[in-house]
Amino acid sequence: MARSSAPSQRQLRVGELIRRTLSEVLARGDVHDPELNAMSITVGEVRTSPDLKVATAFVLPLGGRGAEAALAALRRNRGELRRMVSRKLDLKFAPEIRFALDETFDRMDETRRLLAQEDVRRDTATPDPDEA
């Protein structure tokens, strides 16, 4: 039997719970790191491994500036963030939290730029029925 690479409903549900909890913790500034608390960080998505032991949080600082500093601060405080998230969630294991930059907005901008090019607009335009 072939396994699907798509995440299960449980993975999606737990990922969303972690995302919400992590967002709340970061928004309230509960972490004991003044540098991290001074940043406004958006948690766009959290993907979990099939066994729910690893969660990858895709984050982006407000405005996209200082992304490397934000990642460094999050990684420095990953243990404290893991404890805070696990206290609020009722899971058998506290997942290891990994942080990565959320590149969704960059990909959307690139797609818009590509679709705005003249030759692409010409190719995707609805053909005029009178020309046929």
Side-chain angles (χ1 to χ4, degrees), residues 37-115:
N37 291 335
M39 298 177 188
S40 181
I41 298 174
T42 301
V43 182
E45 179 184 6
V46 174
R47 294 182 192 159
T48 60
S49 62
D51 62 1
L52 304 177
K53 290 187 179 183
V54 177
T56 304
F58 292 90
V59 298
L60 189 66
L62 190 63
R65 292 181 184 80
E68 290 305 318
L71 273 179
L74 288 165
R75 288 174 179 155
R76 207 173 39 245
N77 293 287
R78 90 175 61 196
E80 186 176 359
L81 289 166
R82 181 182 185 180
R83 280 188 299 280
M84 290 177 167
V85 167
S86 68
R87 261 189 251 139
K88 295 180 184 288
L89 299 178
D90 188 27
L91 297 174
K92 187 173 185 179
F93 299 102
E96 172 191 342
I97 301 176
R98 298 177 182 168
F99 296 98
L101 284 180
D102 188 352
E103 297 174 344
T104 306
F105 296 107
D106 293 337
R107 286 194 301 259
M108 286 185 346
D109 289 342
E110 178 63 15
T111 302
R112 281 191 199 106
R113 187 189 67 74
L114 288 171
L115 292 174

